Amino acid sequence: MVSSEGLCGSQAPIAAPVTQYGVTKPISMAGPTAADIQRSRDLEKFLVQAGLYESKEEASKREEVLGQIQEIVTNWVKQLTRLRGYTDQMVEDAKAVIFTFGSYRLGVHGPGSDIDALCVGPSYVSREEDFFFVLHNILAEREEVTELQPVPDAHVPVLRFKFSGIPIDLLYASISHLVVPHDLDISDISVLYNVDEPTVRSLNGCRVADQILKLVPNVEHFRTTLRCLKFWAKRRGVYSNVTGFLGGVNWALLVARICQLYPNAAPSMLVSRFFRVFTQWRWPNPVMLCAIEEDRLGFSVWDPRKNPRDRTHHMPIITPAYPCMNSSYNVSTSTLRVMMEQFQYGNNVCENIELNKAKWSALFEPYLFFQSYTNYLQVDILAADADDLRSWKGWVESRLRQLTLMIERDTYGKLQCHPYAQDYVDASKPCAHCAFFMGLQRKHGEIVQEGQQFDIRGSVDEFRHSISMYMFWKPGMEIYVSHVRRKQLPAYVYPDGCKRSRNLHLTPQQPSYKISRNNGVAYQAESGEKCLKRKKDPDGENSEQSRLDKRRSPDRNQSVSPEIVSRKLGSACTGCSTSDLDEMNRLAEANTSSNSSGISSCSHEDIGNESTAGSSEGSNVGDDNPSSSQSDSSDDLKSSVEDEHADQNKVFQDGLLKDLEVLD
């Protein structure tokens, strides 16, 4: 029997140990307030109204499609087993197993989104011949299958197609089993025995997705937060792994880390804390959900101590399954800059939401890319038909990131590029066509000197050469790279087809640039005052009459010009009329002439410190701190993230890590 004296003793109660998720202790264990719960309800209501959740009918159709694909690949493996002379019992036992990963496996897919799937087969069924040839032909004969596109030379080889209208990305992995067990545990490291690197990459999509779901404290809160932030990233133009931003797995890992740092937080809190943490994150310190497993089977793991290439990564986001890799190696200095600006935008809006000064809709205002820069590179992609365009566009898009890196390298980082993740189509052309755009601006704070030039002719030529290496090139596949000013952007990039005016005034103190008329692209700085004088000179080379003369008499010998550098990789597009191609050439020459004349009458905007119209929407943040859940103070944030950085000292040189700056 316990006496009342024992219950009232002087000993302080022992605090319950704090559960640790990931590599550090949480920043805060605080739960939501009533206001946080209401904001979470408002957020979920907004996401539903935005159409981010699929209907029960579509969910049922996806399950039906996956079942049909499972049946197809099982019959495919049985057929190959019989042809290779195995016993009847082996044929009966033979099977392939379909696993899902990506947004579908994580439970954050929406209407119309694709299904990432992995087919795991036995050791005697190969990827090169059996998957990309035999299975490809089987799928091609199915009436449910459309837009079948094999990509065998990709970093992760994939078959892309639509099955009954649902997009499928199908990978293949041959494991060291004669018979694939129906209850195969793909998270077990034994599946990696005696397989090659492409197979490891194919398997790791599923292994990473399973680990993420195991490492977050609340799966439903994780899913709501991830669904929100993926939608935000698409609206703000920073959702695209191929162009150097972040893809689905990257966003999932970042959100999962925030869930670990705030294990009891509601979705509205997690969204806010996401921006609060990552606006202050000291890249290239890595984001990790768990400790990096040491090399166990001979595969390379992310380790800057041993791998010099890993030291060049700008935004390491490490996968949690062996072999641990950096999932965001495509990020460049320019795309990291853009993302940090967008994180700050999100942080500002979320602070206003917590102060009841804004609603959730403000967070998802679209980024006004075509109002944010004065100068752009336009990459036009043409092909004979839609099928050719699909493969040609995929190849060019996968190389756009290289163009960004080449320009950064050749201008020593002084000219910054912002590749836009969305492609645009000129529906008026009979040719299959799409276009990508890239914003250009001088690095903020860069001192401008008289006569300074940014010559990117070599960068564009190198990019064109890399594009010309396409193994599956066909006649009609062409690419045009041109420089356009904002006022010369085509109407099809605007939602309503109308260009939006933007009044900017030139001041003598602001630098300006022009495009030189050499046979390439070069940007030259001049003073605004000098530019104004030239614009007012009626007899100068930049007078209105001079510009008209230039437009009337374009130099045909300079059709490959400073403002348009075209690469015709074959003969005329067979699916296009001759007049349409002539129109393209005329437009190219017209742009050359108008760009040269227009830009020579320079304004303060040319490749200067562009005004950030696209990133300044929404309310500004006041000096007040957010009113809810203040128990996770700035000191807690600083202390916890410093602890996390200290834990990662093993993979960084001493002195690399710095304290995280915390907003007041």
Side-chain angles (χ1 to χ4, degrees):
M1 182 175 178
V2 181
S3 66
S4 59
E5 183 179 355
L7 291 174
C8 300
S10 60
Q11 291 184 349
I14 300 175
V18 176
T19 302
Q20 179 170 315
Y21 298 94
V23 294
T24 64
K25 294 179 180 179
I27 291 176
S28 172
M29 296 294 294
T33 65
D36 292 320
I37 293 173
Q38 183 58 49
R39 275 191 285 269
S40 294
R41 289 173 181 163
D42 293 341
L43 174 60
E44 292 182 27
K45 182 179 178 181
F46 178 88
L47 298 178
V48 169
Q49 292 174 344
L52 300 186
Y53 293 85
E54 68 177 358
S55 65
K56 292 182 179 179
E57 292 76 14
E58 186 173 358
S60 178
K61 184 179 179 181
R62 287 178 184 273
E63 293 179 4
E64 180 182 337
V65 164
L66 285 172
Q68 291 178 279
I69 294 175
Q70 175 65 71
E71 182 180 350
I72 291 171
V73 298
T74 297
N75 292 335
W76 162 63
V77 170
K78 287 183 182 294
Q79 173 188 333
L80 292 172
T81 306
R82 185 179 296 107
L83 288 173
R84 283 166 193 172
Y86 288 98
T87 65
D88 291 342
Q89 185 61 48
M90 278 284 290
V91 173
E92 183 179 345
D93 294 339
K95 66 172 66 68
V97 180
I98 294 291
F99 294 89
T100 59
F101 62 100
S103 62
Y104 186 80
R105 174 69 181 94
L106 294 174
V108 294
H109 60 287
S113 62
D114 63 358
I115 298 177
D116 296 307
L118 168 69
C119 175
V120 178
S123 57
Y124 55 86
V125 177
S126 70
R127 177 189 303 106
E128 292 76 14
E129 297 178 3
D130 298 327
F131 182 72
F132 279 112
F133 183 73
V134 180
L135 181 61
H136 172 275
N137 291 341
I138 292 173
L139 291 172
E141 293 174 357
R142 303 275 304 208
E143 63 179 12
E144 307 98 327
V145 175
T146 58
E147 301 181 16
L148 181 60
Q149 179 189 359
V151 192
D153 57 343
H155 187 64
V156 182
V158 59
L159 265 178
R160 292 195 173 105
F161 55 94
K162 286 186 177 180
F163 198 103
S164 298
I166 295 179
I168 306 290
D169 282 0
L170 184 63
L171 314 182
Y172 179 72
S174 173
I175 61 174
S176 57
H177 289 69
L178 284 176
V179 178
V180 179
H182 70 277
D183 57 350
L184 176 68
D185 182 4
I186 204 167
S187 296
D188 194 296
I189 198 171
S190 63
V191 300
L192 302 181
Y193 291 163
N194 302 317
V195 299
D196 59 12
E197 291 274 0
T199 300
V200 172
R201 291 193 289 269
S202 298
L203 288 166
N204 256 17
C206 297
R207 289 163 51 79
V208 166
D210 287 350
Q211 281 296 102
I212 290 174
L213 294 176
K214 290 176 183 177
L215 291 170
V216 294
N218 187 312
V219 172
E220 288 307 315
H221 288 178
F222 163 76
R223 284 173 172 161
T224 301
T225 307
L226 178 57
R227 196 182 293 271
C228 166
L229 285 164
K230 286 180 64 175
F231 182 52
W232 173 85
K234 292 173 182 178
R235 296 285 285 177
R236 304 300 297 176
V238 289
Y239 189 95
S240 174
N241 182 278
V242 70
T243 53
F245 294 105
L246 301 182
V249 67
N250 311 126
W251 291 105
L253 292 169
L254 292 183
V255 170
R257 186 66 189 120
I258 297 302
C259 291
Q260 290 181 336
L261 294 174
Y262 299 92
N264 297 322
S268 65
M269 300 167 63
L270 292 171
V271 171
S272 173
R273 302 319 181 263
F274 178 93
F275 293 116
R276 185 181 302 178
V277 169
F278 288 118
T279 53
Q280 303 168 41
W281 197 268
R282 291 291 189 176
W283 305 106
N285 295 328
V287 171
M288 301 191 302
L289 301 186
C290 58
I292 295 177
E293 290 188 47
E294 294 298 325
D295 185 7
R296 297 167 61 181
L297 299 178
F299 296 111
S300 176
V301 299
W302 188 81
D303 189 346
R305 298 170 304 175
K306 299 178 181 178
N307 308 322
R309 193 171 186 176
D310 293 344
R311 299 172 199 157
T312 67
H313 294 168
H314 300 287
M315 193 181 188
I317 303 172
I318 311 304
T319 56
Y322 175 84
C324 300
M325 308 173 187
N326 176 22
S327 63
S328 53
Y329 58 87
N330 278 351
V331 174
S332 68
T333 54
S334 285
T335 53
L336 176 59
R337 169 188 60 83
V338 172
M339 284 188 283
M340 292 302 290
E341 290 174 355
Q342 293 306 316
F343 287 163
Q344 187 60 59
Y345 167 83
N347 189 53
N348 293 347
V349 175
C350 282
E351 288 188 353
N352 280 341
I353 291 173
E354 291 188 326
L355 292 169
N356 296 320
K357 293 182 179 180
K359 296 184 177 181
W360 284 113
S361 57
L363 183 64
F364 302 98
E365 286 293 323
Y367 177 67
L368 302 180
F369 176 73
F370 292 109
Q371 296 186 34
S372 299
Y373 297 91
T374 303
N375 291 273
Y376 298 85
L377 282 184
Q378 177 176 338
V379 180
D380 287 286
I381 305 167
L382 290 86
D385 53 45
D387 289 336
D388 285 355
L389 180 65
R390 190 178 302 110
S391 57
W392 181 227
K393 169 193 168 185
W395 170 257
V396 175
E397 186 179 14
S398 70
R399 296 296 181 272
L400 283 177
R401 184 179 69 91
Q402 297 300 322
L403 178 58
T404 300
L405 296 176
M406 293 167 188
I407 293 175
E408 290 177 350
R409 177 199 66 199
D410 295 343
T411 62
Y412 303 99
K414 296 181 180 180
L415 184 63
Q416 296 177 329
C417 306
H418 179 176
Y420 200 49
Q422 183 176 345
D423 63 300
Y424 293 85
V425 177
D426 186 354
S428 66
K429 294 194 174 301
C431 262
H433 164 271
C434 72
F436 289 94
F437 292 84
M438 185 180 296
L440 300 175
Q441 73 172 10
R442 177 171 48 82
K443 183 179 180 181
H444 292 286
E446 188 68 27
I447 299 176
V448 181
Q449 298 178 353
E450 186 77 18
Q452 178 185 1
Q453 291 188 350
F454 296 117
D455 190 342
I456 61 173
R457 288 171 294 183
S459 308
V460 172
D461 286 341
E462 186 178 350
F463 171 69
R464 289 163 43 207
H465 178 72
S466 69
I467 294 298
S468 69
M469 297 294 103
Y470 186 47
M471 293 175 56
F472 305 101
W473 181 88
K474 295 180 181 179
M477 292 181 175
E478 300 175 4
I479 178 174
Y480 296 83
V481 181
S482 55
H483 165 264
V484 293
R485 299 285 301 278
R486 182 169 59 231
K487 62 185 179 182
Q488 297 162 334
L489 287 167
Y492 60 78
V493 304
Y494 298 98
D496 53 4
C498 300
K499 299 182 181 181
R500 298 169 183 172
S501 61
R502 184 166 177 238
N503 296 323
L504 294 174
H505 303 284
L506 180 65
T507 59
Q509 292 78 17
Q510 291 174 301
S512 63
Y513 293 78
K514 72 176 181 180
I515 306 299
S516 71
R517 201 165 162 76
N518 299 325
N519 191 24
V521 183
Y523 305 123
Q524 180 177 6
E526 298 185 10
S527 69
E529 185 175 3
K530 180 177 179 180
C531 188
L532 279 174
K533 289 180 180 179
R534 286 169 48 184
K535 287 185 72 174
K536 294 178 180 179
D537 182 6
D539 300 321
E541 66 175 21
N542 297 287
S543 65
E544 183 64 22
Q545 184 60 43
S546 175
R547 290 197 295 274
L548 290 174
D549 291 342
K550 289 180 182 179
R551 289 175 183 172
R552 290 168 183 165
S553 304
D555 187 352
R556 295 280 177 179
N557 295 326
Q558 293 198 22
S559 60
V560 179
S561 70
E563 286 72 51
I564 177 163
V565 186
S566 63
R567 170 67 170 175
K568 297 188 70 173
L569 297 177
S571 59
C573 177
T574 57
C576 306
S577 64
T578 304
S579 61
D580 187 65
L581 290 176
D582 290 341
E583 179 191 4
M584 171 67 78
N585 291 329
R586 285 197 303 271
L587 287 174
E589 292 174 358
N591 281 342
T592 298
S593 177
S594 62
N595 284 357
S596 298
S597 60
I599 294 173
S600 61
S601 59
C602 51
S603 73
H604 78 290
E605 300 173 284
D606 293 323
I607 315 297
N609 285 331
E610 316 286 356
S611 64
T612 55
S615 59
S616 61
E617 309 99 85
S619 305
N620 294 327
V621 180
D623 296 330
D624 298 330
N625 290 322
S627 59
S628 66
S629 303
Q630 293 300 321
S631 58
D632 51 323
S633 64
S634 295
D635 290 338
D636 291 335
L637 173 60
K638 182 174 181 179
S639 174
S640 178
V641 180
E642 285 176 349
D643 290 343
E644 178 160 358
H645 291 176
D647 289 343
Q648 305 315 322
N649 239 359
K650 296 178 182 179
V651 293
F652 284 98
Q653 297 178 358
D654 292 341
L656 176 63
L657 305 181
K658 297 181 180 179
D659 292 340
L660 203 69
E661 290 183 356
V662 181
L663 298 175
D664 293 333

